[in-house]
Amino acid sequence: MKTLLIYGATGYTGRMIASQAKSAGLSIIIAGRNAQSLAALAAELDVGMRVFGLEDAAETARRLTGVGVVLNCAGPFAGTAKPLINAAIAQGIHYLDITAEINVYRLAESLDDAAAQAGSMLLPGVGWDVVPTDCLAVRLARQVQEPRRLRIALQVAGAMSRGSAVSAGEIIGAGLLERVNGSLVTKQNAEAGWFDFGEGPVACAPLSFGDLVTAWHSTGIPDIEMFVNVTGDAFPEGDLSLLPDGPTQAERDANRARAVAEVTGSDGCIYRAVIETVNGYTYTPLAAVEAARRVLKGDAFPGFQTPAIVFGTEFALSIPGTLLQTA
């Protein structure tokens, strides 16, 4: 049970994750629906493959036989997370993914008891969403006496992959949410927030990311808001099928990623920190594979979990190229 199954391995990010996992020496099986694409990648990496869709619950569970962790890279995750989570629970194995779609986190949270009883860990968000922000939020909250409010802003720069653009539609479709007194509610104030990522304050639009779920579990802070600052070709419009698979290596190298967390204590004092990483598409394969490696090694707790709870606040900083600035 020390094998990692990567579902959606032939997608833009999935392919980078599969290559990184192979380079890291993990025992992997690549999986997905397209037999031809899988066969080509399996031959390139010299790994096993399994071809299957997710329509039949019993068949999906059977296809996970003999693996210890399934890492879902197939977006939009609204269509893939539920069947793979249920299959993982049925097999008593661990589920990881790289989604930013908040409804997947809410689904995993709702299946906490079932997963715990099966001995399965549900750990969505082991990529750039939500590893840096989850670890940053916990790190900052520990410095604040009686933290009451958390605001997180992401800075998304450069081009977006076709898969991420489709997933962005799922995030927007979830509606504007915030956490108030520990409960997720519809956000009444849709005004922009202003955050400084290191070059002066910029306007950030409210948006519902997974941190509204993960940060609550990781920190216990009752009031949480999420924002995003978009530059370049992020969040494209029009026919998304015409987009390229994703940014080139040069484009990724030219656009680092940043996030800000602000925690307000009961005394009204605000504590702030910025985390800067390599481009999100470069960060995600590194973080996801390292997370999978640790889980295969035994770093796991049954039920719904978050990266900071399972791996600690230093996990985000362990990814090469990550910088932390506190203020």
Side-chain angles (χ1 to χ4, degrees):
M1 301 293 284
K2 297 298 184 181
T3 297
L4 170 68
L5 184 140
I6 303 171
Y7 194 84
T10 60
Y12 173 74
T13 305
R15 181 178 291 270
M16 288 191 288
I17 286 175
S19 179
Q20 176 65 23
K22 175 68 175 182
S23 297
L26 300 188
S27 172
I28 66 171
I29 298 171
I30 61 172
R33 299 174 183 271
N34 190 313
Q36 184 175 359
S37 297
L38 281 169
L41 182 59
E44 177 184 331
L45 298 179
D46 189 24
V47 298
M49 57 177 268
R50 295 181 185 178
V51 183
F52 62 98
L54 304 176
E55 295 80 13
D56 186 307
E59 176 64 11
T60 301
R62 188 182 71 81
R63 291 290 192 160
L64 299 187
T65 300
V67 304
V69 174
V70 55
L71 172 56
N72 182 12
C73 304
F77 295 84
T80 62
K82 186 174 182 178
L84 283 172
I85 287 175
N86 286 336
I89 292 174
Q91 290 283 15
I93 65 173
H94 305 309
Y95 170 90
L96 281 61
D97 70 32
I98 56 170
T99 190
E101 299 170 28
I102 186 172
N103 283 336
V104 172
Y105 294 86
R106 299 175 75 180
L107 169 67
E109 180 185 41
S110 73
L111 294 172
D112 176 51
D113 288 343
Q117 291 175 14
S120 296
M121 180 172 70
L122 307 182
L123 184 63
V126 294
W128 197 77
D129 302 299
V130 294
V131 168
T133 48
D134 191 47
C135 294
L136 182 62
V138 174
R139 186 186 184 97
L140 200 57
R142 288 176 178 171
Q143 302 173 21
V144 180
Q145 185 174 5
E146 297 183 6
R148 290 292 310 170
R149 184 189 188 201
L150 168 65
R151 299 202 308 164
I152 296 174
L154 313 177
Q155 189 172 58
V156 180
M160 183 179 288
S161 75
R162 183 168 58 246
S164 294
V166 175
S167 280
E170 296 290 339
I171 297 171
I172 295 170
L176 282 182
L177 301 171
E178 62 180 328
R179 192 169 289 274
V180 178
N181 291 326
S183 298
L184 273 181
V185 299
T186 300
K187 187 174 178 63
Q188 300 301 320
N189 180 7
E191 294 180 0
W194 289 82
F195 296 85
D196 187 350
F197 295 94
E199 299 177 350
V202 293
C204 299
L207 202 61
S208 303
F209 286 99
D211 298 82
L212 291 173
V213 178
T214 55
W216 161 244
H217 282 269
S218 297
T219 70
I221 296 176
D223 297 342
I224 304 174
E225 295 177 275
M226 288 293 302
F227 298 85
V228 63
N229 172 252
V230 176
T231 62
D233 297 323
F235 288 90
E237 298 179 349
D239 187 350
L240 301 182
S241 67
L242 299 178
L243 292 174
D245 287 345
T248 64
Q249 179 71 57
E251 289 171 330
R252 295 199 303 271
D253 291 344
N255 291 283
R256 288 174 64 82
R258 298 173 182 85
V260 174
E262 293 181 352
V263 174
T264 304
S266 59
D267 58 0
C269 291
I270 299 176
Y271 300 78
R272 174 182 172 275
V274 180
I275 191 166
E276 178 182 323
T277 75
V278 292
N279 185 272
Y281 291 110
T282 301
Y283 188 97
T284 290
L286 298 173
V289 170
E290 176 59 15
R293 185 191 70 80
R294 295 189 187 195
V295 174
L296 286 167
K297 189 183 69 173
D299 293 353
F301 306 111
F304 171 70
Q305 303 294 343
T306 71
I309 289 175
V310 178
F311 307 126
T313 61
E314 297 302 310
F315 180 57
L317 297 176
S318 73
I319 305 305
T322 302
L323 305 172
L324 178 67
Q325 179 182 351
T326 58

